[in-house]
Amino acid sequence: MEIGSLIEGRANSEIISCNVYTPVREAVALLASKRIGAVPVVEAGKVVGIFSERDVIYRLAGEGDACLSRPLGEVMTAPAITVQRTTSVLEALALMTRRRIRHLPVVDGEAMCGFISIGDLVKARLDEIEHEAEAMRAYIQTA
Protein backbone atom coordinates (compact mmCIF):
# COMPACT_ATOMS: atom_id res chain seq x y z
CA MET A 1 0.00 0.00 0.00
CA GLU A 2 1.24 3.49 -0.88
CA ILE A 3 1.06 6.62 1.28
CA GLY A 4 -1.10 8.26 -1.39
CA SER A 5 -3.96 5.90 -0.58
CA LEU A 6 -3.75 6.87 3.11
CA ILE A 7 -4.12 10.59 2.46
CA GLU A 8 -6.69 10.19 -0.30
CA GLY A 9 -9.80 12.10 0.64
CA ARG A 10 -8.01 14.31 3.14
CA ALA A 11 -8.16 17.98 2.22
CA ASN A 12 -4.91 19.95 2.22
CA SER A 13 -6.79 22.61 4.17
CA GLU A 14 -7.06 20.12 7.06
CA ILE A 15 -3.29 20.08 7.54
CA ILE A 16 -2.38 22.06 10.62
CA SER A 17 0.89 23.89 10.07
CA CYS A 18 2.89 26.91 11.22
CA ASN A 19 5.31 29.26 9.55
CA VAL A 20 8.92 30.02 10.46
CA TYR A 21 7.89 33.23 12.27
CA THR A 22 5.35 31.60 14.61
CA PRO A 23 6.54 31.99 18.21
CA VAL A 24 7.24 28.75 20.06
CA ARG A 25 4.68 29.73 22.72
CA GLU A 26 1.96 29.92 20.05
CA ALA A 27 2.98 26.60 18.49
CA VAL A 28 2.95 24.89 21.89
CA ALA A 29 -0.59 26.20 22.50
CA LEU A 30 -1.62 24.86 19.08
CA LEU A 31 -0.14 21.41 19.79
CA ALA A 32 -1.98 21.30 23.12
CA SER A 33 -5.33 22.56 21.83
CA LYS A 34 -5.35 20.17 18.86
CA ARG A 35 -3.88 17.29 20.92
CA ILE A 36 -1.19 16.63 18.32
CA GLY A 37 2.51 15.92 18.64
CA ALA A 38 3.99 17.89 15.77
CA VAL A 39 3.33 20.41 13.02
CA PRO A 40 5.07 20.94 9.71
CA VAL A 41 6.73 24.34 9.40
CA VAL A 42 6.02 25.85 5.99
CA GLU A 43 7.58 28.77 4.17
CA ALA A 44 6.40 29.91 0.73
CA GLY A 45 4.39 26.69 0.36
CA LYS A 46 7.39 24.46 1.01
CA VAL A 47 7.98 22.31 4.11
CA VAL A 48 11.18 23.60 5.69
CA GLY A 49 11.03 21.81 9.03
CA ILE A 50 9.02 20.05 11.70
CA PHE A 51 8.24 21.36 15.16
CA SER A 52 7.45 18.63 17.70
CA GLU A 53 7.03 18.00 21.39
CA ARG A 54 10.65 16.86 21.47
CA ASP A 55 11.81 20.22 20.15
CA VAL A 56 9.99 21.93 23.02
CA ILE A 57 11.51 19.63 25.64
CA TYR A 58 15.06 19.95 24.28
CA ARG A 59 14.82 23.75 24.10
CA LEU A 60 13.26 24.13 27.54
CA ALA A 61 15.97 21.91 29.03
CA GLY A 62 18.71 23.89 27.31
CA GLU A 63 17.41 27.46 27.45
CA GLY A 64 14.55 27.59 29.91
CA ASP A 65 11.38 29.50 29.15
CA ALA A 66 13.26 32.11 27.09
CA CYS A 67 12.87 29.74 24.14
CA LEU A 68 9.10 30.31 24.17
CA SER A 69 9.54 33.72 22.53
CA ARG A 70 11.77 32.47 19.74
CA PRO A 71 10.39 31.87 16.23
CA LEU A 72 9.97 28.29 15.05
CA GLY A 73 12.50 28.89 12.29
CA GLU A 74 15.20 29.00 14.99
CA VAL A 75 14.13 25.93 16.96
CA MET A 76 12.49 23.51 14.51
CA THR A 77 14.06 20.28 13.32
CA ALA A 78 15.33 20.98 9.82
CA PRO A 79 15.50 20.00 7.10
CA ALA A 80 12.22 18.08 7.18
CA ILE A 81 12.38 14.40 6.32
CA THR A 82 9.60 13.82 3.79
CA VAL A 83 8.01 11.06 1.75
CA GLN A 84 6.29 11.00 -1.63
CA ARG A 85 2.75 9.78 -2.32
CA THR A 86 4.28 6.71 -3.98
CA THR A 87 6.29 5.71 -0.90
CA SER A 88 5.02 2.43 0.54
CA VAL A 89 3.72 2.19 4.08
CA LEU A 90 6.50 -0.26 4.93
CA GLU A 91 9.17 2.08 3.53
CA ALA A 92 7.75 4.96 5.57
CA LEU A 93 7.67 2.84 8.73
CA ALA A 94 11.28 1.79 8.16
CA LEU A 95 12.29 5.43 7.64
CA MET A 96 10.54 6.50 10.84
CA THR A 97 12.20 3.70 12.78
CA ARG A 98 15.65 4.41 11.35
CA ARG A 99 15.43 8.18 11.92
CA ARG A 100 13.53 7.86 15.25
CA ILE A 101 10.72 10.19 14.17
CA ARG A 102 6.94 9.95 14.45
CA HIS A 103 5.65 12.36 11.77
CA LEU A 104 6.27 12.76 8.04
CA PRO A 105 5.14 15.42 5.60
CA VAL A 106 3.96 13.92 2.31
CA VAL A 107 5.11 15.98 -0.64
CA ASP A 108 4.30 16.15 -4.32
CA GLY A 109 7.40 17.76 -5.79
CA GLU A 110 8.08 20.43 -3.21
CA ALA A 111 4.44 21.08 -2.25
CA MET A 112 3.08 19.41 0.88
CA CYS A 113 -0.01 17.32 0.16
CA GLY A 114 -0.34 15.46 3.46
CA PHE A 115 1.03 14.89 6.94
CA ILE A 116 1.09 11.41 8.47
CA SER A 117 1.96 10.00 11.84
CA ILE A 118 3.34 6.65 12.85
CA GLY A 119 -0.16 5.89 14.17
CA ASP A 120 -1.59 6.35 10.67
CA LEU A 121 0.95 3.90 9.27
CA VAL A 122 0.53 1.29 12.01
CA LYS A 123 -3.26 1.39 11.57
CA ALA A 124 -2.91 1.00 7.79
CA ARG A 125 -0.55 -1.94 8.22
CA LEU A 126 -2.83 -3.64 10.76
CA ASP A 127 -5.82 -3.16 8.45
CA GLU A 128 -3.82 -4.69 5.61
CA ILE A 129 -2.81 -7.69 7.73
CA GLU A 130 -6.41 -8.20 8.87
CA HIS A 131 -7.61 -8.07 5.25
CA GLU A 132 -4.98 -10.65 4.23
CA ALA A 133 -5.97 -12.92 7.14
CA GLU A 134 -9.64 -12.67 6.19
CA ALA A 135 -8.81 -13.53 2.58
CA MET A 136 -6.81 -16.53 3.76
CA ARG A 137 -9.69 -17.71 6.01
CA ALA A 138 -12.14 -17.38 3.11
CA TYR A 139 -9.77 -19.31 0.83
CA ILE A 140 -9.35 -22.11 3.35
CA GLN A 141 -13.11 -22.39 3.91
CA THR A 142 -13.78 -22.77 0.19
CA ALA A 143 -10.98 -25.26 -0.46
Side-chain angles (χ1 to χ4, degrees), residues 13-29:
S13 61
E14 293 176 10
I15 301 171
I16 298 166
S17 64
C18 291
N19 65 51
V20 294
Y21 305 108
T22 303
V24 170
R25 178 177 276 104
E26 211 174 287
V28 168

Side-chain angles (χ1 to χ4, degrees), residues 37-143:
V39 291
V41 181
V42 180
E43 184 174 36
K46 181 180 175 187
V47 180
V48 293
I50 300 283
F51 180 72
S52 72
E53 299 159 323
R54 289 179 184 174
D55 294 314
V56 176
I57 297 300
Y58 296 153
R59 293 299 176 154
L60 283 171
E63 302 173 29
D65 65 357
C67 73
L68 297 174
S69 299
R70 294 179 62 191
L72 292 185
E74 293 178 9
V75 300
M76 67 187 181
T77 300
I81 299 165
T82 63
V83 292
Q84 301 288 322
R85 290 175 160 277
T86 56
T87 303
S88 76
V89 167
L90 289 176
E91 288 174 299
L93 280 168
L95 175 63
M96 288 177 148
T97 301
R98 189 171 57 254
R99 298 300 300 266
R100 300 183 54 85
I101 57 176
R102 297 177 301 198
H103 300 86
L104 286 170
V106 182
V107 295
D108 189 4
E110 289 189 353
M112 183 171 57
C113 58
F115 193 63
I116 57 171
S117 71
I118 197 161
D120 296 326
L121 297 178
V122 169
K123 181 186 180 313
R125 185 65 183 126
L126 289 174
D127 289 348
E128 190 174 34
I129 290 168
E130 181 58 38
H131 178 70
E132 290 170 1
E134 184 58 40
M136 184 64 76
R137 282 191 287 273
Y139 174 76
I140 290 169
Q141 288 175 352
T142 59

